[in-house]
Amino acid sequence: MQRLPQVLQSQLLQPALITLLATLADGCRDIARQISRGAVAGVLGNAGAENVQGEAQKKLDVIANDILKALLLAEPSVRALASEEETEIVAANPDGRFLVAFDPLDGSSNIDINGSVGTIFSIFEAPGATPVTEADFLRPGRQQIAAGYVLYGPSVMLALTAGQGVQFYTLDPVSNEFLLTSERVAIPAQTQEFAINMSNQRFWAEPMRRYIADLLLGKDGPRKKNFNMRWVAAMVSDVHRILCRGGIFSYPWDRREPDKPGKLRLMYEANPMALLIERAGGEAWTDAAKILDLQPEHIHQRVPVILGSAEEVLHCISYHTGR
Ligand code: F6P
Ligand code: MN
């Protein structure tokens, strides 16, 4: 099996990007080690602070952020970073060519139950001008030059899109290397599986309520087929399942906090996942537009997310657009 750097070299990526991706992989290996030590290393539970989103930080949120931040600040090719756990962007090397946005530990409510969690990252080419500002990050996701996630599950897996298509790598605990285990990930266009937090149903907009109600009617309803439901409550795991076998995933707009148009963050959750999903043949939308075409307004912006198997996502969008 090919090692990660070998595959990236064969995709003819620029050497600086290969080095950066290898650095991110190194950081995620460290995070994986901390997660697997769990209570033995005293890394479970709350850190006792809140992040910029007003969410209680877990110790592992802070540990994962510190690991990636330290590595990226030491990486000559990184101009600046943006993280879910950092209020502002953090400037790195003025000569760096890349901007990196990341969610250091996605799905952190799973930490204390020994459930799957992940790390998500998105990379842009840095603009020429210095000093770097938040505005430099605010570009449509279609301009990402690479994106991916690491899933800390029964196996540690990396999903990456940088040159061509989407690849899966599995961390081999024997050699400590990420080895290529799926060369061309492709999402089936049709599905009978959906992922959504049903407990929020009463807060959804009417089109989403109608769409899910029709799925629940199964064979007896307008869809004329039964649907199954899955919800891991860690976006990395739910998206991984969709890349493996198809499905539709949504964290839709809801009216709990009308000034927050969704839960998931555009720059380090929706954008990187949308690039992976589109490159694997799927669709990724808010309720009205393709996620990758959105013009971001700030680094911690939230958006509704509907992504997965192409035909199913477009069917769901048709409830929203009336077309
Ligand atoms: O990062 C936010 C997140 O943890 C996602 O990973 C996940 O999809 C979602 O929140 C789960 O939200 P809820 O707890 O509302 O189901
Ligand atoms: Mn997250």
Side-chain angles (χ1 to χ4, degrees):
M1 275 177 237
Q2 283 183 287
R3 293 161 48 239
L4 173 68
Q6 279 177 321
V7 181
L8 299 178
Q9 274 153 20
S10 70
Q11 291 184 347
L12 303 178
L13 300 186
Q14 38 176 327
L17 182 58
I18 297 178
T19 308
L20 171 56
L21 291 169
T23 298
L24 282 165
D26 284 348
C28 291
R29 253 193 297 251
D30 273 11
I31 295 171
R33 206 171 305 124
Q34 295 285 341
I35 293 171
S36 69
R37 294 195 69 213
V40 174
V43 296
L44 305 184
N46 285 340
E50 282 189 349
N51 66 15
V52 61
Q53 340 263 339
E55 297 161 344
Q57 280 180 318
K58 301 273 185 184
K59 285 185 196 164
L60 271 172
D61 285 323
V62 177
I63 292 169
N65 188 57
D66 288 350
I67 289 173
L68 290 177
K69 187 177 167 186
L71 282 174
L72 293 173
L73 289 179
E75 178 61 50
S77 69
V78 175
R79 175 85 61 88
L81 56 92
S83 161
E84 177 179 333
E85 306 302 336
E86 301 283 337
T87 310
E88 314 278 349
I89 67 157
V90 182
N93 181 342
D95 301 322
R97 297 170 43 188
F98 304 119
L99 303 174
V100 185
F102 58 95
D103 178 352
L105 207 78
D106 174 63
S108 44
S109 72
N110 278 357
I111 289 172
D112 297 335
I113 58 150
N114 197 22
S116 295
V117 289
T119 295
I120 312 173
F121 57 88
S122 156
I123 303 174
F124 287 94
E125 200 93 51
T130 47
V132 66
T133 64
E134 175 175 339
D136 296 327
F137 278 84
L138 304 181
R139 285 183 282 150
R142 219 168 273 295
Q143 293 179 18
Q144 293 169 102
I145 55 169
Y149 62 75
V150 170
L151 167 61
Y152 310 104
S155 304
V156 176
M157 289 187 73
L158 165 68
L160 182 65
T161 180
Q164 302 129 29
V166 177
Q167 288 78 41
F168 286 158
Y169 301 82
T170 303
L171 182 61
D172 172 18
V174 177
S175 64
N176 209 24
E177 297 277 359
F178 279 102
L179 303 178
L180 181 67
T181 43
S182 298
E183 203 168 345
R184 186 161 295 279
V185 176
I187 305 175
Q190 295 178 350
T191 183
Q192 291 178 236
E193 197 160 69
F194 69 96
I196 196 164
N197 184 339
M198 288 293 293
S199 69
N200 297 324
Q201 195 173 21
R202 69 190 186 283
F203 302 117
W204 299 340
E206 196 266 342
M208 192 49 110
R209 269 193 271 175
R210 266 193 304 125
Y211 168 70
I212 295 290
D214 284 350
L215 299 191
L216 294 176
L217 288 171
K219 269 194 157 141
D220 306 328
R223 301 303 305 276
K224 298 190 166 44
K225 56 182 185 178
N226 292 332
F227 281 79
N228 190 18
M229 197 198 92
R230 287 286 183 271
W231 186 250
V232 183
M235 188 189 197
V236 167
S237 286
D238 281 312
V239 169
H240 188 70
R241 186 185 56 255
I242 287 173
L243 287 170
C244 290
R245 67 178 188 209
I248 182 167
F249 165 93
S250 182
Y251 213 112
W253 179 91
D254 71 46
R255 63 181 158 75
R256 276 174 298 175
E257 294 178 80
D259 54 320
K260 287 186 186 157
K263 179 172 188 191
L264 300 176
R265 275 58 55 108
L266 175 59
M267 299 300 296
Y268 40 81
E269 291 179 321
N271 263 343
M273 293 311 201
L275 194 69
L276 288 163
I277 291 285
E278 282 205 7
R279 293 256 176 97
E283 292 275 341
W285 289 65
T286 65
D287 38 27
K290 287 194 189 239
I291 287 170
L292 295 178
D293 294 331
L294 296 180
Q295 173 58 52
E297 284 160 15
H298 56 92
I299 49 165
H300 298 296
Q301 177 177 349
R302 295 170 192 257
V303 288
V305 171
I306 303 168
L307 58 75
S309 291
E311 286 183 24
E312 194 57 42
V313 170
L314 295 178
H315 191 77
C316 176
I317 296 300
S318 73
Y319 283 68
H320 293 82
T321 57
R323 267 177 266 135

